[in-house]
């Protein structure tokens, strides 16, 4: 197991400066950074209805302000001949390339309906940009980072969790968003709203989540070189998390294997899958050339009990990477034992997900046991620091390469 001692590499003086600057910057910087999120990416949308909430919205057409849309009105936008047509009670727009629906004040947001689908109406913070891409509408929510973070925590973490758990989720989701800002840049936005990036279905309505996001306002996780980390997480580690390099080939010093005693009785702590002996041995022969005549090899793959997280099945030759077995059989994790029972083979597993970084069910139990969100983050991420994004911008080299995530946040 790797040490989880307090950070030593970051010079103390720099930490002190960062801490001092946080309060100074907090007073100066009041505007959140804006994220561009591609929304409703899982469907083809040809028509939307946008309705302002709590304040009027300005309608901007191809860069020119066309007028205001009242909270009692709605703007129907659709694709006509490869361009945008739009109509409200007192506005008609034809042949536009871009339309923006922008609330005139911070309290304003908008409701979104897709008339041709069964999607329930959603409410989004920020402003909406619409254009035609590939014959359909491309919808981009330009949303302040904190409002986006709250929406993601609501969609990703679920209901009725401990406040400390929501706080660590807020820090993780905010951190993940900034690390992965370049994922969709060629498409004209930063992150999508699905599991590929982070699930985002609009405005948060939960008071606990709002409190958690406010309490951790602008805080992100950085490594000792002050680089924003890949804040990866998974449902349940099965009792031990994994080193990043064991899954993605690339090592990260903050993503180290850690023993977790908190998640082992949680809902996703164990799983089981039964296969026929023929299917199991046939697969190993086909894919890895395992000979059925070698009794030692057979024994290794029919009676296997990992003592800790292994990388290879039965530690036999030829090597059978457990991550491939997981993908091929759609298993919940790579952490499982194998037992032959007659003509069946039973795989008994622990955990759910890739096992790198933060274990959500372990973190939930730690929060309920009274641990603070900072303690929990330091448990799962080795030698990291919590810093305010505004101070980070000040100290960061403008040309520094923003790291690209090795994979999605989960699974
Ligand atoms: Zn994405
Ligand atoms: Zn765990």
């Amino acid at each position: 197991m790797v040490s989880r001692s307090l950070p030593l590499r970051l010079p103390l003086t720099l930490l002190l400066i960062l801490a001092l600057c946080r309060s100074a910057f907090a007073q100066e910087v009041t505007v959140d950074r804006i994220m561009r999120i591609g929304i409703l990416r899982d469907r083809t949308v040809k028509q939307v209805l946008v309705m302002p909430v709590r304040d009027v919205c300005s309608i901007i057409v191809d860069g020119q302000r066309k007028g205001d849309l009242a909270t009692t009105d709605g703007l129907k936008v659709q694709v006509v001949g490869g361009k945008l047509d739009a109509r409200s009670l007192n506005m008609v727009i034809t042949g536009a390339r871009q339309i923006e629906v922008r609330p005139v004040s911070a309290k304003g947001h908008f409701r979104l309906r897709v008339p041709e689908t069964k999607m329930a109406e959603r409410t989004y913070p920020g402003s909406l940009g619409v254009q035609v891409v590939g014959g359909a509408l491309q919808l981009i929510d330009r949303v302040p980072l904190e409002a986006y973070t709250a929406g993601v925590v609501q969609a990703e973490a679920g209901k009725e969790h401990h406040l400390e758990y929501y706080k660590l989720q807020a820090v993780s989701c905010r951190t993940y968003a900034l690390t992965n800002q370049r994922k969709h840049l060629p498409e004209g936005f930063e992150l999508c709203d699905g599991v590929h990036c982070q699930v985002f279905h609009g405005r948060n309505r939960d008071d606990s989540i709002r409190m958690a996001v406010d309490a951790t306002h602008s805080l992100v996780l950085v490594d000792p070189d002050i680089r924003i980390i890949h804040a990866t997480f998974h449902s349940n580690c099965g009792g031990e998390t994994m080193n990043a390099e064991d899954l993605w080939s690339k090592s990260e010093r903050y993503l180290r294997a850690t023993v977790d005693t908190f998640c082992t009785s949680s809902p996703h702590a164990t799983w089981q899958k039964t296969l026929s002996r023929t299917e199991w041995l046939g697969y190993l022969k086909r894919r890895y050339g395992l000979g059925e005549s070698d009794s030692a090899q057979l024994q290794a793959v029919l009676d296997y009990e990992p003592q800790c997280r292994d990388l290879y099945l039965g530690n036999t030759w030829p090597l059978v990477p457990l991550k491939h077995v997981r993908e091929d059989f759609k298993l919940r994790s790579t952490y499982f034992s194998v037992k032959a029972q007659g003509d069946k083979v039973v795989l008994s597993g622990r955990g759910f997900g890739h096992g790198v970084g933060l274990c959500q069910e372990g973190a939930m139990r730690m929060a309920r046991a009274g641990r603070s969100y900072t303690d929990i983050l330091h448990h799962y991420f080795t030698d990291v620091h919590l810093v305010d994004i505004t101070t980070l911008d000040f100290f960061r080299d403008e040309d520094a390469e923003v790291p690209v995530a090795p994979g999605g946040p989960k699974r």
Side-chain angles (χ1 to χ4, degrees), residues 184 192 196-197:
H184 289 275
C192 74
H196 174 260
C197 289

Side-chain angles (χ1 to χ4, degrees), residues 35 145 148 172-181 191 198:
M35 304 293 295
L145 176 61
Y148 168 70
S172 303
C173 294
R174 191 183 289 116
T175 303
Y176 183 87
L178 295 177
T179 315
N180 291 280
Q181 259 178 314
L191 297 155
Q198 301 193 106

Side-chain angles (χ1 to χ4, degrees), residues 167-225:
K167 285 184 194 171
L168 72 90
Q169 278 288 340
V171 172
S172 303
C173 294
R174 191 183 289 116
T175 303
Y176 183 87
L178 295 177
T179 315
N180 291 280
Q181 259 178 314
R182 297 183 181 185
K183 261 192 164 177
H184 289 275
L185 276 191
E187 295 156 88
F189 52 93
E190 290 166 338
L191 297 155
C192 74
D193 64 347
V195 290
H196 174 260
C197 289
Q198 301 193 106
V199 179
F200 176 63
H201 289 161
R203 193 164 170 266
N204 164 55
R205 292 161 191 258
D206 184 297
D207 286 342
S208 298
I209 293 174
R210 185 183 45 74
M211 284 164 64
V213 172
D214 287 349
T216 62
H217 191 282
S218 297
L219 293 180
V220 292
L221 289 165
V222 297
D223 70 7
D225 294 330

